[in-house]
Amino acid sequence: MAGIDEIHAQAVRWIKEAGQRITQSFETILDIETKSSMNDLVTNMDKDVEHFFIERIAERFPDHIVLGEEGAGHDLEELKGVVWIIDPIDGTMNFVHQQRNFAISIGIVENGVGKIGLIYDVVHDELYHCIRGEGAFQNEKRIEPMKEAKLEESIVGLNAIWLTENKKIDKDVTAQLVREVRGTRSYGSAALELIYVATGRLNAYISMRLAPWDFAGGTIIIEELGGKVTDLKGNPIHYLKKSSLIATSPKLHEAIMERYLS
Ligand code: 2AM
Ligand code: CA
């Protein structure tokens, strides 16, 4: 089987190439469809980029498996061997409406353990990446381990939808959190919000509903930097299951869990 460094090096090359394809598509007219709802968008570029990875991976690493958001990869029931969990465009609504605030997200998992994380902020040409145990990097620059923040001094990534009546969380609880922290932000791309937590631009990110391709790459990078990612019950997240998610530093994780989620 290919070594971890070789897999990482290939993933870096491919994610940059995929980024170029996306940038070039800004000059073309997108083909936009909706999926589960009017606001759940998919474009020809989401599909094109997913296919790009599937073809490259099948050719170079034929024993690897791909789980992609647009469903062109494998149908998986368990995480055996090397699995690439890919979101070709995370933040598709931003991609369509803003041509910014989106990312390509890849988590590479071996027998259920996150080994390589990559998030590419295409518009800023910023690649965040790590190999488990070897530190995390923004392009070539090493990212410092995550720092703790007090609850009242933290900036939390949270979508305003969770302050409206919903089936996942009591909106009074989220409203209390919004009042008690220093500030909240919503960027519309889980991958970017996770990388903002990894780099200290946010102190925590909370979502009630994410899929493995939204969080795999970011979780691997955050864990490499000493952060903690769980579902909102405090259980470990699973790379094959949709779940709620809280990503932050260990002490702030404890504080948020204790004050709002227990
Ligand atoms: P996407 O753009 O790849 O679809 C938006 O708040 C963030 O949540 C984005 O990362 C978006 O990913 C993700 N997202 C939006 N709707 C979702 C859903 N129904 N299930 C899982 N993730 C979702
Ligand atoms: Ca997507």
Side-chain angles (χ1 to χ4, degrees):
M1 195 182 289
I4 193 101
D5 291 333
E6 191 188 343
I7 299 171
H8 173 265
Q10 276 298 352
V12 167
R13 263 180 239 128
W14 290 335
I15 209 168
K16 294 246 172 158
E17 209 181 313
Q20 279 180 357
R21 292 167 92 97
I22 294 175
T23 312
Q24 282 158 8
S25 81
F26 289 157
E27 308 298 322
T28 67
I29 295 167
L30 286 174
D31 177 13
I32 304 162
E33 292 167 42
T34 57
K35 295 194 284 187
S36 61
S37 76
M38 278 280 293
N39 301 328
D40 188 7
L41 307 179
V42 61
T43 74
N44 52 309
M45 282 314 294
D46 298 65
K47 294 176 192 169
D48 176 273
V49 170
E50 183 163 307
H51 273 114
F52 167 85
F53 282 109
I54 288 169
E55 278 167 22
R56 297 295 183 290
I57 294 163
E59 194 181 311
R60 182 71 191 74
F61 305 114
D63 54 334
H64 291 191
I65 291 159
V66 180
L67 177 66
E69 173 168 21
E70 306 315 332
H74 299 77
D75 226 353
L76 281 193
E77 303 214 327
E78 53 175 2
L79 284 169
K80 260 201 185 150
V82 179
V83 182
W84 295 55
I85 305 173
I86 299 180
D87 193 340
I89 300 180
D90 182 71
T92 300
M93 194 190 291
N94 292 344
F95 169 62
V96 169
H97 285 259
Q98 308 177 324
Q99 291 82 52
R100 65 189 68 199
N101 298 320
F102 65 87
I104 305 172
S105 176
I106 301 179
I108 305 178
V109 173
E110 189 176 23
N111 297 320
V113 180
K115 288 294 174 79
I116 296 172
L118 304 111
I119 290 178
Y120 188 30
D121 178 343
V122 173
V123 171
H124 294 111
D125 190 25
E126 286 169 356
L127 176 62
Y128 302 87
H129 57 112
C130 75
I131 299 175
R132 186 188 177 88
E134 298 185 17
F137 295 82
Q138 174 178 334
N139 293 331
E140 283 79 42
K141 190 167 165 274
R142 187 177 283 274
I143 304 171
E144 295 294 314
M146 277 172 60
K147 294 188 182 73
E148 287 291 352
K150 291 185 189 148
L151 185 64
E152 62 274 19
E153 291 175 3
S154 46
I155 305 184
V156 176
L158 181 75
N159 191 311
I161 198 83
W162 307 120
L163 293 157
T164 67
E165 197 65 49
N166 71 86
K167 291 189 187 118
K168 304 275 183 185
I169 194 163
D170 179 350
K171 64 183 170 48
D172 294 338
V173 171
T174 34
Q176 189 196 348
L177 181 142
V178 170
R179 280 195 301 273
E180 292 179 352
V181 298
R182 178 165 279 169
T184 52
R185 298 288 182 271
S186 179
Y187 297 95
S189 156
L192 286 183
E193 299 186 274
L194 289 168
I195 221 57
Y196 291 172
V197 170
T199 50
R201 296 163 194 158
L202 289 175
N203 303 104
Y205 170 60
I206 297 173
S207 176
M208 311 308 148
R209 184 185 55 214
L210 289 179
W213 38 82
D214 299 321
F215 61 69
T219 296
I220 294 166
I221 296 175
I222 287 178
E223 288 182 348
E224 179 61 20
L225 293 165
K228 189 165 177 184
V229 183
T230 67
D231 69 13
L232 290 192
K233 293 198 174 104
N235 298 318
I237 47 128
H238 192 288
Y239 289 116
L240 277 187
K241 293 189 184 141
K242 290 199 176 186
S243 83
S244 60
L245 189 123
I246 167 166
T248 180
S249 48
K251 285 197 178 125
L252 188 55
H253 186 280
E254 202 181 318
I256 293 174
M257 291 301 299
E258 207 174 273
R259 187 154 180 80
Y260 308 106
L261 300 168
S262 58

Coordinates of all heavy atoms in Angstrom, one line a residue, residues 35 41 46 69-70 87-92 213-214, ligand 2:
K35 N -31.4 20.0 -4.7 CA -31.4 18.6 -4.3 C -32.6 18.4 -3.3 O -33.7 18.4 -3.7 CB -30.1 18.3 -3.6 CG -28.9 18.3 -4.6 CD -27.7 17.6 -4.1 CE -27.0 18.5 -3.0 NZ -25.7 17.9 -2.6
L41 N -28.4 23.4 -3.0 CA -27.9 23.6 -4.4 C -26.8 22.6 -4.8 O -26.0 22.2 -4.0 CB -27.5 25.0 -4.6 CG -28.4 26.1 -4.2 CD1 -27.8 27.5 -4.5 CD2 -29.7 26.0 -4.9
D46 N -19.7 21.0 -8.8 CA -19.6 20.1 -7.7 C -19.4 18.7 -8.3 O -18.6 17.9 -7.8 CB -21.0 20.1 -6.9 CG -21.3 21.4 -6.3 OD1 -21.6 22.4 -7.0 OD2 -21.3 21.5 -5.0
E69 N -19.8 13.7 -1.6 CA -21.2 14.3 -1.3 C -22.1 14.0 -2.5 O -23.3 13.8 -2.3 CB -21.1 15.8 -1.1 CG -22.5 16.4 -0.9 CD -22.6 17.8 -0.4 OE1 -21.6 18.5 -0.5 OE2 -23.7 18.1 0.0
E70 N -21.6 14.1 -3.7 CA -22.6 14.0 -4.8 C -22.9 12.6 -5.2 O -23.6 12.3 -6.2 CB -22.1 14.9 -6.0 CG -21.7 16.3 -5.7 CD -22.8 17.0 -4.8 OE1 -24.0 16.7 -4.9 OE2 -22.4 17.9 -4.0
D87 N -15.8 16.5 0.0 CA -16.8 17.5 -0.4 C -16.2 18.4 -1.5 O -15.3 19.2 -1.2 CB -17.2 18.4 0.8 CG -18.5 19.1 0.4 OD1 -18.8 19.3 -0.8 OD2 -19.2 19.6 1.4
P88 N -16.6 18.2 -2.8 CA -16.0 18.9 -3.9 C -16.1 20.4 -3.8 O -15.2 21.1 -4.1 CB -16.7 18.4 -5.1 CG -18.0 17.8 -4.6 CD -17.7 17.3 -3.2
I89 N -17.3 20.8 -3.3 CA -17.5 22.3 -3.0 C -18.3 22.3 -1.7 O -19.5 22.0 -1.7 CB -18.2 23.1 -4.1 CG1 -17.4 23.0 -5.4 CG2 -18.4 24.5 -3.6 CD1 -18.0 23.7 -6.5
D90 N -17.7 22.8 -0.6 CA -18.4 22.9 0.7 C -18.7 24.4 0.7 O -17.9 25.3 0.7 CB -17.6 22.5 1.9 CG -18.4 22.7 3.1 OD1 -19.3 21.9 3.3 OD2 -18.1 23.6 3.9
G91 N -20.0 24.7 0.8 CA -20.5 26.1 0.7 C -21.0 26.4 -0.7 O -20.7 27.4 -1.3
T92 N -21.7 25.4 -1.3 CA -22.2 25.6 -2.6 C -23.0 26.9 -2.8 O -22.9 27.6 -3.8 CB -23.0 24.4 -3.1 OG1 -22.1 23.2 -3.0 CG2 -23.4 24.5 -4.5
W213 N -18.8 14.5 4.8 CA -17.9 15.3 3.9 C -17.8 16.7 4.3 O -16.9 17.4 4.0 CB -18.5 15.2 2.5 CG -20.0 15.2 2.4 CD1 -20.7 16.3 2.4 CD2 -20.8 14.1 2.3 NE1 -22.1 16.0 2.4 CE2 -22.1 14.6 2.3 CE3 -20.6 12.7 2.2 CZ2 -23.3 13.8 2.2 CZ3 -21.8 11.9 2.2 CH2 -23.0 12.4 2.1
D214 N -18.8 17.2 5.2 CA -18.7 18.6 5.7 C -17.6 18.7 6.7 O -16.9 19.7 6.9 CB -20.0 19.0 6.3 CG -21.2 19.1 5.4 OD1 -21.0 19.5 4.2 OD2 -22.3 18.7 5.8
Ligands
CA2 CA -20.9 20.2 -1.1

